Amino acid sequence: MRVKRAKAYRKLIHQYQVTFNFREPYQVLLDSQILQDAARFKMDLVGLLERTLQGKVKPMITQCDMRHLYNAEPKDQALILKAKEYERRRCNHHELEDPLSTLECLSSVVDPKNSLTNKNRYVVASQDPKVRAHMRAIPGVPLIYINKSVVILEPMAASTHNHREQGEKAKFKAGLKGRRGVNPGQKRKRDEAEEDSTQEQHGSSIMERSTGDDGPQKKKRTRGPKGPNPLSVKKPKKRVHPPVEPHSNVPVKPKKAEPEARRQQGVEPETPIQEGEESAKRKRQRKHKPKSDSGASSQMKAEVESNTP
Ligand SMILES: [Zn+2]
């Protein structure tokens, strides 16, 4: 039973953590009655609360419930002293002549705006069934009470459960939408954003290019379609340009004469160069070989000479 309950509580607490962002230390609002009952059963209430909630606990008591302890007919001074160690939750009802009932006080503390939200993520530990019933209407209020000296964490209230289910349904729907509609929209948005960014990038790049070298891009673009032709055209342009570029007529003529002569008589200069290279290679080869031979022979001779004497 204990193990089962611990498992169930762990699951419950996890759900509170996930859905309502509960975190340690859990703020537990203790009413005067549960303190009295725990004292009657000689229970270590805080220790039991920590075991029940499976985490650290910050016990709290409202000013009104503190007054209830003071007003109790058999005044339990020890219990008052113990309760004084807990954090006092200032409900600001202390100016009233009489303390509010636990129901009224805790209701105002947990959900001051009656907006059905447990904003401060209180755990309510109360022996008053009316208090717990009221709190069950507020989503996300873990409820604790003592039953026969056992600390009980109530199963999730319907409101909490519904809230949680609605949240999960919403998530699920969002997920479905995300798969069907939302994601494409997001993608579209992203795409648009990307397009925008790319456009911006292009724009920026264009700007950069335009600022940097506007001409070449336009020329490139104009050249783009004509691409293959200009490549073939370029060479004649280059051929044309070098003769055109030199402004003085004097150097142009010899240049023209030289390339033209090379082109026209191209065979003549090329062949002699090749012949010269070949001859040089041959000479080199011939030179190398005889050199090596001669070197070897000279070495041999030297060796022989050195050996002979
Ligand atoms: Zn109060």
Side-chain angles (χ1 to χ4, degrees):
M1 281 295 289
R2 285 181 183 176
V3 176
K4 273 189 179 179
R5 201 159 54 208
K7 276 189 177 180
Y9 287 174
R10 194 178 307 152
K11 191 178 174 183
L12 257 178
I13 293 154
H14 178 71
Q15 288 171 350
Y16 279 116
Q17 288 173 340
V18 169
T19 311
F20 299 98
N21 209 23
F22 274 80
R23 293 288 180 271
E24 293 180 53
Y26 303 112
Q27 303 183 104
V28 183
L29 285 168
L30 300 158
D31 77 348
S32 54
Q33 189 63 50
I34 201 170
L35 290 176
Q36 289 166 343
D37 285 2
R40 192 188 312 149
F41 294 117
K42 297 183 179 177
M43 297 165 64
D44 172 22
L45 184 57
V46 175
L48 289 169
L49 286 170
E50 292 194 331
R51 275 177 60 185
T52 302
L53 293 172
Q54 301 175 17
K56 291 193 175 180
V57 161
K58 186 199 281 185
M60 305 176 83
I61 186 169
T62 63
Q63 293 169 317
C64 291
D65 269 289
M66 201 66 207
R67 288 169 80 180
H68 292 315
L69 288 180
Y70 277 108
N71 295 340
E73 283 196 2
K75 200 171 185 177
D76 190 339
Q77 200 61 39
L79 183 58
I80 289 171
L81 286 175
K82 191 182 280 185
K84 277 186 172 180
E85 294 174 4
Y86 304 153
E87 182 164 317
R88 193 72 50 84
R89 177 60 167 86
R90 294 185 180 181
C91 55
N92 293 326
H93 305 141
H94 60 284
E95 294 176 353
L96 301 174
E97 196 169 321
D98 292 321
L100 291 180
S101 70
T102 299
L103 175 61
E104 289 169 323
C105 182
L106 284 183
S107 300
S108 70
V109 165
V110 171
D111 185 14
K113 294 179 182 176
N114 262 337
S115 57
L116 294 178
T117 50
N118 180 12
K119 186 186 172 186
N120 294 310
R121 299 181 188 83
Y122 289 120
V123 179
V124 174
S126 172
Q127 292 297 87
D128 189 344
K130 290 178 184 174
V131 170
R132 296 204 304 276
H134 178 85
M135 296 301 171
R136 280 187 211 110
I138 304 169
V141 184
L143 295 171
I144 285 175
Y145 65 99
I146 294 171
N147 183 25
K148 297 175 183 175
S149 78
V150 175
V151 174
I152 303 291
L153 173 62
E154 281 197 8
M156 257 191 187
S159 62
T160 300
H161 193 66
N162 292 340
H163 181 89
R164 186 168 162 272
E165 276 204 332
Q166 283 174 0
E168 289 194 345
K169 280 180 182 175
K171 285 180 186 175
F172 185 66
K173 284 179 181 175
L176 286 179
K177 283 180 183 175
R179 286 175 190 171
R180 292 175 188 172
V182 175
N183 257 352
Q186 289 176 350
K187 280 183 182 176
R188 282 174 193 170
K189 284 178 183 176
R190 285 174 189 169
D191 290 347
E192 287 173 3
E194 284 177 1
E195 284 176 5
D196 292 343
S197 63
T198 50
Q199 283 177 358
E200 287 176 1
Q201 286 177 359
H202 283 306
S204 62
S205 61
I206 288 169
M207 287 299 287
E208 286 173 3
R209 286 173 189 171
S210 63
T211 51
D213 29 20
D214 210 352
Q217 215 185 14
K218 287 179 181 176
K219 285 180 182 176
K220 282 177 183 176
R221 282 182 182 177
T222 53
R223 282 177 189 175
K226 296 175 183 176
N229 292 335
L231 286 173
S232 61
V233 175
K234 275 181 184 176
K235 289 179 182 176
K237 277 184 182 176
K238 283 179 182 176
R239 286 174 190 173
V240 173
H241 277 292
V244 174
E245 279 176 1
H247 300 283
S248 60
N249 293 332
V250 180
V252 171
K253 286 179 181 177
K255 279 186 179 178
K256 274 186 179 178
E258 284 178 1
E260 282 177 2
R262 284 179 185 174
R263 284 164 199 162
Q264 290 173 357
Q265 304 171 355
V267 184
E268 289 179 347
E270 284 178 4
T271 45
I273 290 168
Q274 286 178 353
E275 285 179 1
E277 287 177 358
E278 285 178 2
S279 64
K281 286 177 183 177
R282 286 172 191 171
K283 284 176 184 175
R284 284 171 191 169
Q285 287 176 356
R286 285 171 190 171
K287 282 177 183 176
H288 281 296
K289 284 177 182 176
K291 272 182 182 177
S292 62
D293 293 342
S294 66
S297 61
S298 65
Q299 283 180 0
M300 288 294 286
K301 286 176 184 177
E303 285 176 359
V304 172
E305 287 175 358
S306 64
N307 289 336
T308 45

